[in-house]
Amino acid sequence: VNAGGGVITVKITGKLEVKSIDIKPEIVDPDDIETLTDILTAGFNEAIKRVEETNQKEMESITGNVSIPGLF
């Protein structure tokens, strides 16, 4: 997942384990750490959102959209 116009790339697994973080040098400004932390936060949140959406779609394809209370 890219954030901040591609200056941050976050890769996580389906179990929400962080595999890698790539930060472009141009976003690193010692006088503006707040922007970096905001972009990192956005990147992690987007990555988690995508994993959850993918997991939900996969589960729906397995169950055929049948809801089984207490199972999931």
Side-chain angles (χ1 to χ4, degrees):
V1 172
N2 291 319
V7 294
I8 301 284
T9 301
V10 177
K11 293 182 182 179
I12 63 173
T13 68
K15 293 183 179 183
L16 304 179
E17 178 183 312
V18 176
K19 296 306 276 183
S20 67
I21 304 165
D22 181 50
I23 303 171
K24 302 276 185 198
E26 61 266 21
I27 193 63
V28 180
D29 178 353
D31 296 327
D32 188 13
I33 298 300
E34 185 176 348
T35 295
L36 179 60
T37 58
D38 289 347
I39 293 171
L40 282 168
T41 300
F44 282 109
N45 287 333
E46 182 62 27
I48 291 167
K49 178 182 170 187
R50 286 194 191 177
V51 166
E52 289 175 342
E53 288 171 353
T54 301
N55 287 345
Q56 181 179 354
K57 287 177 186 175
E58 290 294 320
M59 191 54 65
E60 287 172 358
S61 71
I62 292 169
T63 64
N65 277 336
V66 175
S67 178
I68 304 169
L71 184 59
F72 302 108

